[in-house]
Amino acid sequence: MQSPRLPELSPETFTPAQKALTEAIASGPRGVFKLSGPFGVYLHSPSFGG
């Protein structure tokens, strides 16, 4: 099995920009943030995810 291309992230280690992005996503129409799918990838580049 291959290792993932991107390192796994943990909410405990989020930067301020990553925390802001998770809050923005959670306050949107989805109403929740999950560390899966495209949103998890966006956290690796919060300015792109915004």
Side-chain angles (χ1 to χ4, degrees), residues 27-48:
S27 68
R30 297 179 188 277
V32 66
F33 173 80
K34 293 182 181 179
L35 196 65
S36 61
F39 300 128
V41 175
Y42 293 163
L43 286 179
H44 289 274
S45 180
S47 60
F48 176 78

Side-chain angles (χ1 to χ4, degrees), residues 4-25:
R5 293 185 198 183
L6 296 171
E8 192 171 326
L9 296 173
S10 171
E12 293 81 26
T13 62
F14 285 173
T15 65
Q18 289 169 323
K19 289 177 185 177
L21 180 58
T22 61
E23 291 168 7
I25 293 168

